[in-house]
């Protein structure tokens, strides 16, 4: 660190920036001494060298660079009684040294380009920050105030030595430097500070970076966890602004995403073992880590091997953590890495260094780099300095330092240098009068002001030499781009593909079920409940079930909506087939009886039973049997109208014939008075007229019914077996019309039964009354029983009950009236004579 002695704190306006920065340096850096000096009025005097080295090259514009070449800073001087001797940082970081060399490579590449910055040479001043906030701030202030040992009077002007700084690598250090330099509009372009807090332009107005903000990484992590189904995770972070803000942003992104956090821990030296125990004991198999080496060492020590690690960009490509000894615990780690790029020419540039060359004179880190790369010593007495190391020969081979296959942070350093170069190019392109400062003035390239660089950095938009488009947004952030990295262990040189691990509190609900959150537990802990009838879930892990649309119903597994069953009596149903066969059989038997009567129409039995009425009665019975077929099949408008009207007219026709026959028999045997000739009123003509009149009344009722409110197809919701169904039926249209049709049939049947009962005592050989009585009793019994059965039968069974009533009553009439006669005609022909019929 530096020790500074200042004569006075009274500054002229021209020396305000320099003096104030010197004072800030003295206030922020432990061990800084300031007081009176006799060297002259307003003299600023540098009394000591920095704790660690720096690399410098002059130029028209000098770019500063902050790199953690070492990762451990010396303990600060706390007593402030004397000027402490020079101290050195320890633990050399080859990775950070490669970043520094990338900056030098980019500067030299730009200087060789005649088109980018013609007639202007870039220089650089890169310092070691020792990975400490104090030393980082001290190095930054030293860059800005200059490297001269004494600056007197107005020479301490308003133009800083370094007008722009590339760095720092750490978010915490970047925040300290940016807050200190921000009021003076001194721009910083960080290459590895990812804390989302640094996007706050109010607190850090002159801060830029070429590395994406952690806000983008957190958003990507949340999507990755959800995509892989890892909804039960643990979070751990390092004790710093990077880890704290990283976890905070990730927790915000996880809200409402369905991912639950089992624990969130912030490591410290005293808590690392406790956090490792928490990781081991948790049921969360996935751990998102914004941490560094210390916790990973404890995880490896405890041999925790059943966890899937999600790494932040800070350590996913860190070779020290990915050492072979750590792979049993960390193999399979998945993480977001900064975008990789290939920088042409960087590999040879890195290997140009040699400890015996001229580079060692200008680079204080080269000697230590060589010793660390090849584990040897360049000292004269290796046994005294590094007793465990051999003497370096200077001809050692290649090392990991020169590996350019994973250029990520190095590429961000490369882009930072080019962003500054393109900002200067835009300044050089400014025309006097068209500038944006003080009445159209353009910047003076030889005396650049920090605020001018800030303005032009905000507007840069260019393509890097590797072809990537680059610019800063309104927060100073670059476009976000990541590579997904997965650590594979391949002992034989081949990749091994393993199953994706599962990390859940509760297993996902299968299709057909939904989640029900367990009371008092996180939303990721739930039970699985089956969907209700009529609802489905067709995806795994459904939060709620979906109701099926109209005319659809859930299948038994509740995984799909299927069309509801359409219920009607069809010819393909077993019941429909049986009823069709019975109907056709009845019509066939009726046709057989009609053929028998027609063939034997000249016999005594057929003549005695009024052959004409018998033919009409058999014809009407045949229509009754066939009308049952109209009730089978999908209801249609014409079938609905036909089935009820055909049924009503056929049965009225049948009963009218039967009624006419009963009246004729009754009148013939009741006319006992001499001279009475009642039969003249019941001649065949009058009988035909009576039958026609009775039938015509039913025809008129049916016509009015069809004209005013005809039967029509309709759908009714029913339920049978495993679920609801759509019942297709024929609505009667007009209940009055349907009632009149049935009522008229019932009236004729009752009248026929009454007359047949009155004729029950006529002579046996001529008495059809008892057969008519039996047939009417069967007819009436069937239709009286039909009413409750019709009302209580569901779905297609309603139609089946109606068909059964039609067929039962028709068979009753057929068998009671014609079976005895056909038996005599076909099997007892000796009884089919006039003599036998007149014997009684």
């Amino acid at each position: 660190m530096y020790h500074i002695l200042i004569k006075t704190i009274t500054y002229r306006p021209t020396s305000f920036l320099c003096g104030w920065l010197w004072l800030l340096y003295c206030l922020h850096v432990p061990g800084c001494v300031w007081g009176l000096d006799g060297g002259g009025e307003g003299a600023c005097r540098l009394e000591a060298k920095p704790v660690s080295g720096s690399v410098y090259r002059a130029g028209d514009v000098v770019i500063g660079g902050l790199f953690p070449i070492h990762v451990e800073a010396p303990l600060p001087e706390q007593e402030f009684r004397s000027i402490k001797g020079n101290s050195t940082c320890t633990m050399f970081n080859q990775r950070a040294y490669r970043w520094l060399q990338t900056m030098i490579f980019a500067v030299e590449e730009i200087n060789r380009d005649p088109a980018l910055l013609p007639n202007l040479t870039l220089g650089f001043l890169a310092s070691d920050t020792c990975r400490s906030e104090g030393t980082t701030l001290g190095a930054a202030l030293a860059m800005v105030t200059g490297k001269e040992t004494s600056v007197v009077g107005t020479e301490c002007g308003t133009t800083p030595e370094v007008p722009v700084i590339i760095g720092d690598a750490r978010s915490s250090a970047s925040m300290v430097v940016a807050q200190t330099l921000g009021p003076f509009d001194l721009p910083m372009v960080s290459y590895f500070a990812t804390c989302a807090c640094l996007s706050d332009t109010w607190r850090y107005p002159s801060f830029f970076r070429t590395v994406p903000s952690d806000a983008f990484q957190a958003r990507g992590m949340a999507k990755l966890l959800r995509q892989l189904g890892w909804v039960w995770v643990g979070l751990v972070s390092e004790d710093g602004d990077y880890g704290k803000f990283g976890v905070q942003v990730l927790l915000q992104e996880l809200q409402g995403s369905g991912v639950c956090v089992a624990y969130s821990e912030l490591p410290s030296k005293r808590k690392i073992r406790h956090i490792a125990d928490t990781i081991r004991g948790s049921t969360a198999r996935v751990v998102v880590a914004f941490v560094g080496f210390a916790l990973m060492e404890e995880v490896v020590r405890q041999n925790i091997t059943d966890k899937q690690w999600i790494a932040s960009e800070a350590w996913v490509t860190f070779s020290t953590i990915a050492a072979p000894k750590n792979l049993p615990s960390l193999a399979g780690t998945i993480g977001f890495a900064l975008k990789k790029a290939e920088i042409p020419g960087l590999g040879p540039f890195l290997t140009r260094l040699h400890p015996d060359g001229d580079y060692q004179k200008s680079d204080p880190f080269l000697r230590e780099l060589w010793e660390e790369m090849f584990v040897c010593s360049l000292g004269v007495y290796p046994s005294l300095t590094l007793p465990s190391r051999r003497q370096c020969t200077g001809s050692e081979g290649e090392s990991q330092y020169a590996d350019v296959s994973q250029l990520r942070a190095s590429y961000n350093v490369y882009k930072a240098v080019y962003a500054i170069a393109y900002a200067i190019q835009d300044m050089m392109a400014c025309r006097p009068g068209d500038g944006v400062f003080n009445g159209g003035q353009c910047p003076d390239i030889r005396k650049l002001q920090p605020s001018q660089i800030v303005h032009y950095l905000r507007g840069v938009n260019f393509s890097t030499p590797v072809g990537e488009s680059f610019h800063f947004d309104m927060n100073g952030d670059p476009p976000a781009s990541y590579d997904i990295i997965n650590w594979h262990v391949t002992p034989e040189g081949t990749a091994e593909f393993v199953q994706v691990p599962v990390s859940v509190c509760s297993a996902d609900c299968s299709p057909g079920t939904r989640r029900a959150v367990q009371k008092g537990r996180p939303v990721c802990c739930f039970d699985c409940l089956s969907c209700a009838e009529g609802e489905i879930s067709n995806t795994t892990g459904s939060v709620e079930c979906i109701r099926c649309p109209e005319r659809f119903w859930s299948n038994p597994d509740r995984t799909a909506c299927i069309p509801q069953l359409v219920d009607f009596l069809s010819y393909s149903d077993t019941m429909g087939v049986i009823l069709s066969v019975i109907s056709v059989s009845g019509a066939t038997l009726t046709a057989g009886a009609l053929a028998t009567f027609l063939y034997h129409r000249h016999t005594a039995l057929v003549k005695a039973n009024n052959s004409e009425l018998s033919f009409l009665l058999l014809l009407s019975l045949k229509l009754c049997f066939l009308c049952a077929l109209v009730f089978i099949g999908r209801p249609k408008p014409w079938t609905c109208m036909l089935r009820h009207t055909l049924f009503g007219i056929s049965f009225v026709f049948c009963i009218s014939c039967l009624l006419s026959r009963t009246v004729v028999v009754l009148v013939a045997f009741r006319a006992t008075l001499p001279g009475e000739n009642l039969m003249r009123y019941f001649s065949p003509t009058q009988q035909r007229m009576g039958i026609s009149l009775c039938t015509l009344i039913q025809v008129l009722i049916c016509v009015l019914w069809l004209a005013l409110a005809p039967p029509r197809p309709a759908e009714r919701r029913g339920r049978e077996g495993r679920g609801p169904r759509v019942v297709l039926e024929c609505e009667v249209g007009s209940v009055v019309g349907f009632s009149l049709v049935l009522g008229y049939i019932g009236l004729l049947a009752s009248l026929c039964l009454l007359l047949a009962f009155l004729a029950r005592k006529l002579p046996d050989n001529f008495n059809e009354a008892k057969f008519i009585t039996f047939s009417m009793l069967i007819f009436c019994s069937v239709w009286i029983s039909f009413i409750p059965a019709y009302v209580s039968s569901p779905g297609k069974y309603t139609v089946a009950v109606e068909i059964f009533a039609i067929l039962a009553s028709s068979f009753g009439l057929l068998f009671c009236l014609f079976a005895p006669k056909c038996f005599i005609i076909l099997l007892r022909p000796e009884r089919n004579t006039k003599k036998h019929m007149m014997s009684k």
Side-chain angles (χ1 to χ4, degrees):
M1 60 191 68
Y2 290 87
H3 297 278
I4 301 173
L5 197 62
I6 300 179
K7 174 183 177 182
T8 177
I9 57 173
T10 303
Y11 299 101
R12 299 180 179 88
T14 57
S15 64
F16 175 76
L17 175 61
C18 179
W20 183 245
L21 289 174
W22 276 107
L23 181 59
L24 282 176
Y25 175 83
C26 207
L27 292 175
H28 280 83
V29 179
C32 174
V33 179
W34 62 283
L36 294 177
D37 179 26
E41 181 182 359
C44 301
R45 189 169 184 178
L46 179 64
E47 294 290 347
K49 299 294 183 182
V51 296
S52 191
S54 61
V55 180
Y56 174 77
R57 184 179 298 175
D60 297 322
V61 177
V62 178
I63 300 175
L66 299 174
F67 301 96
I69 307 300
H70 295 86
V71 296
E72 227 178 72
L75 294 176
E77 171 63 43
Q78 302 292 348
E79 296 182 357
F80 304 100
R81 294 180 180 178
S82 63
I83 299 177
K84 188 177 180 181
N86 290 341
S87 302
T88 58
C89 299
T90 57
M91 296 184 65
F92 192 85
N93 184 359
Q94 297 184 36
R95 186 186 187 199
Y97 185 77
R98 184 167 62 242
W99 300 342
L100 184 151
Q101 289 297 321
T102 303
M103 173 183 171
I104 298 174
F105 172 79
V107 169
E108 292 184 359
E109 188 176 66
I110 292 171
N111 289 336
R112 290 195 302 268
D113 187 348
L116 184 54
L117 295 178
N119 303 321
L120 187 141
T121 302
L122 292 181
F124 56 83
L125 174 58
S127 296
D128 182 10
T129 65
C130 300
R131 207 172 182 269
S132 167
E133 282 80 358
T135 53
T136 301
L137 179 59
L141 290 174
M143 288 179 184
V144 175
T145 56
K147 61 183 179 66
E148 299 297 331
T149 58
S150 178
V151 181
V152 182
T154 58
E155 292 181 9
C156 186
T158 59
T159 302
E161 178 81 6
V162 174
V164 59
I165 296 176
I166 295 176
D168 182 52
R170 299 174 62 240
S171 295
S172 298
S174 295
M175 293 168 65
V176 171
V177 177
Q179 282 181 322
T180 304
L181 301 183
F184 306 102
D185 290 328
L186 280 160
M188 290 179 62
V189 184
S190 177
Y191 51 88
F192 210 36
T194 60
C195 180
C197 57
L198 288 167
S199 297
D200 186 350
T201 55
W202 186 83
R203 294 183 61 188
Y204 313 104
S206 58
F207 181 82
F208 301 84
R209 53 184 162 188
T210 55
V211 60
S213 166
D214 280 337
F216 300 104
Q217 179 178 231
R219 197 171 304 153
M221 283 183 172
K223 291 183 178 179
L224 177 68
L225 293 173
R226 188 59 183 163
Q227 183 72 23
L228 296 179
W230 294 338
V231 296
W232 186 238
V233 302
L235 299 183
V236 291
S237 64
E238 68 178 17
D239 188 11
D241 294 314
Y242 168 75
K244 292 177 182 177
F245 283 99
V247 169
Q248 178 182 339
V249 174
L250 179 57
L251 287 173
Q252 293 174 356
E253 291 294 333
L254 292 180
Q255 289 181 359
S257 68
V259 179
C260 298
V261 177
Y263 55 87
S264 180
E265 296 287 350
L266 184 67
S268 64
K269 291 183 178 179
R270 291 178 297 176
K271 290 181 60 180
I272 285 181
R273 179 174 297 180
H274 164 72
I275 294 174
D277 293 337
T278 301
I279 294 172
R280 175 192 293 276
S282 175
T283 58
R285 290 197 58 198
V286 174
V287 184
V288 181
F290 289 83
V291 295
F293 194 64
L295 179 61
M296 296 296 105
E297 280 187 325
E298 182 64 22
V299 168
V300 173
R301 190 189 69 81
Q302 293 195 21
N303 195 28
I304 301 175
T305 59
D306 61 340
K307 304 300 179 181
Q308 171 66 53
W309 294 89
I310 304 297
S312 65
E313 92 295 335
W315 66 276
V316 69
T317 57
F318 195 13
S319 58
T320 304
I321 297 180
K325 65 177 183 178
N326 298 334
L327 291 181
S329 295
L330 302 179
T333 294
I334 298 175
F336 284 73
L338 302 178
K339 185 177 181 181
K340 182 177 70 173
E342 294 183 3
I343 304 177
L346 180 60
F349 183 83
L350 294 177
T351 58
R352 82 195 189 287
L353 302 176
H354 195 276
D356 295 334
D358 295 334
Y359 296 106
Q360 187 175 359
K361 298 177 182 179
S362 60
D363 190 342
F365 310 115
L366 182 55
R367 176 191 180 101
E368 194 172 359
L369 169 69
W370 198 271
E371 293 180 339
E372 288 295 323
M373 281 196 303
F374 303 111
V375 194
C376 62
S377 173
L378 289 170
V380 179
Y381 303 103
S383 60
L384 297 177
T385 56
L386 294 169
S388 61
R389 294 187 178 181
R390 60 179 177 82
Q391 183 74 27
C392 297
T393 64
S395 60
E396 284 79 8
E398 296 183 358
S399 69
Q400 186 68 26
Y401 156 77
D403 181 13
V404 293
S405 62
Q406 294 289 333
L407 295 179
R408 301 181 188 276
S410 299
Y411 181 52
N412 289 336
V413 174
Y414 187 74
K415 289 188 291 186
V417 177
Y418 268 90
I420 295 171
Y422 274 96
I424 297 174
Q425 184 190 56
D426 292 341
M427 294 181 187
M428 297 173 64
C430 177
R431 296 181 179 180
D434 295 335
V436 295
F437 307 107
N438 299 330
Q441 292 184 3
C442 292
D444 184 355
I445 299 300
R446 305 298 172 178
K447 294 183 180 180
L448 285 178
Q449 299 300 315
S451 60
Q452 297 171 340
I453 300 179
V454 170
H455 173 80
Y456 280 93
L457 274 175
R458 296 191 188 280
V460 294
N461 194 331
F462 62 95
S463 293
T464 66
V466 299
E468 179 189 359
S469 178
F470 184 86
H471 67 278
F472 295 110
D473 65 11
M474 60 183 298
N475 298 320
D477 294 328
S481 180
Y482 293 97
D483 293 335
I484 304 297
I485 299 297
N486 184 210
W487 292 7
H488 287 273
V489 181
T490 56
E492 294 80 19
T494 58
E496 180 182 5
F497 299 95
V498 295
Q499 184 180 357
V500 176
V502 177
S503 181
V504 295
C505 178
S506 300
D508 269 337
C509 296
S510 59
T513 62
R514 65 173 179 85
R515 294 182 180 182
V517 178
Q518 297 174 357
K519 187 176 182 181
R521 302 197 66 187
V523 294
C524 294
C525 303
F526 48 81
D527 298 318
C528 297
L529 303 180
S530 296
C531 294
E533 290 186 344
E535 297 180 346
I536 65 161
S537 65
N538 52 11
T539 58
T540 300
S542 295
V543 178
E544 59 183 11
C545 298
I546 305 171
R547 179 164 294 278
C548 292
E550 190 74 16
R551 296 183 65 93
F552 285 82
W553 195 249
S554 56
N555 63 353
D557 295 332
R558 307 287 195 271
T559 56
C561 290
I562 57 176
Q564 290 183 352
L565 293 176
V566 178
D567 191 24
F568 63 92
L569 187 63
S570 67
Y571 289 103
S572 59
D573 291 340
T574 303
M575 184 179 299
V577 172
I578 293 174
L579 292 176
S580 299
V581 171
I582 295 175
S583 175
V584 173
S585 300
T588 303
L589 290 175
T590 304
L594 179 60
T596 300
F597 268 62
L598 186 61
Y599 184 79
H600 298 280
R601 63 184 179 275
H602 299 296
T603 62
L605 183 60
V606 175
K607 290 181 178 180
N609 282 275
N610 195 335
S611 57
E612 185 177 354
L613 284 179
S614 296
F615 294 151
L616 292 176
L617 183 58
L618 287 170
L619 180 61
S620 63
L621 280 175
K622 189 172 183 179
L623 290 176
C624 291
F625 280 115
L626 293 178
C627 78
L629 297 176
V630 186
F631 286 81
I632 303 174
R634 190 184 191 94
K636 297 179 182 178
W638 68 271
T639 57
C640 288
M641 291 187 289
L642 181 62
R643 65 171 58 174
H644 289 98
T645 54
L646 182 61
F647 153 72
I649 294 173
S650 298
F651 269 86
V652 165
F653 184 30
C654 178
I655 297 174
S656 298
C657 295
L658 194 59
L659 179 61
S660 176
R661 188 170 186 167
T662 304
V663 170
V664 170
V665 172
L666 184 62
V667 170
F669 286 91
R670 290 289 183 177
T672 56
L673 296 176
E676 285 185 329
N677 191 11
L678 293 178
M679 289 301 297
R680 70 177 182 272
Y681 299 109
F682 295 95
S683 64
T685 302
Q686 279 80 12
Q687 292 177 27
R688 287 194 293 270
M689 291 179 61
I691 293 171
S692 300
L693 180 61
C694 292
T695 305
L696 181 61
I697 294 174
Q698 184 75 311
V699 171
L700 292 176
I701 294 174
C702 292
V703 169
L704 291 174
W705 182 17
L706 296 178
L708 299 177
R712 61 184 182 275
E715 296 180 357
R716 178 171 57 85
R717 303 298 171 188
R719 186 176 186 85
E720 181 182 343
R722 295 184 176 180
R725 55 189 62 206
V726 178
V727 179
L728 298 183
E729 59 183 8
C730 287
E731 286 186 346
V732 295
S734 172
V735 177
V736 175
F738 184 58
S739 300
L740 288 175
V741 169
L742 293 182
Y744 186 59
I745 295 173
L747 176 64
L748 294 181
S750 300
L751 181 60
C752 185
L753 175 61
L754 176 62
L755 294 178
F757 178 77
L758 295 177
R760 68 187 184 281
K761 294 183 179 180
L762 294 176
D764 289 344
N765 285 3
F766 296 93
N767 190 7
E768 277 193 317
K770 61 181 179 180
F771 297 114
I772 296 175
T773 302
F774 290 146
S775 64
M776 285 298 99
L777 286 175
I778 295 173
F779 185 91
C780 294
S781 299
V782 167
W783 285 100
I784 291 175
S785 302
F786 159 78
I787 296 174
Y790 182 84
V791 173
S792 60
S793 297
K796 61 186 177 184
Y797 299 105
T798 302
V799 181
V801 167
E802 191 169 359
I803 296 174
F804 176 79
I806 293 172
L807 295 178
S809 56
S810 299
F811 273 110
L813 293 174
L814 178 63
F815 285 121
C816 289
L817 296 177
F818 294 98
K821 297 179 179 63
C822 290
F823 176 78
I824 294 174
I825 293 173
L826 297 176
L827 301 179
R828 297 289 188 270
E830 68 277 5
R831 295 172 57 183
N832 188 10
T833 60
K834 185 176 181 181
K835 177 180 179 181
H836 177 76
M837 297 184 65
M838 298 295 294
S839 61
K840 294 187 179 181

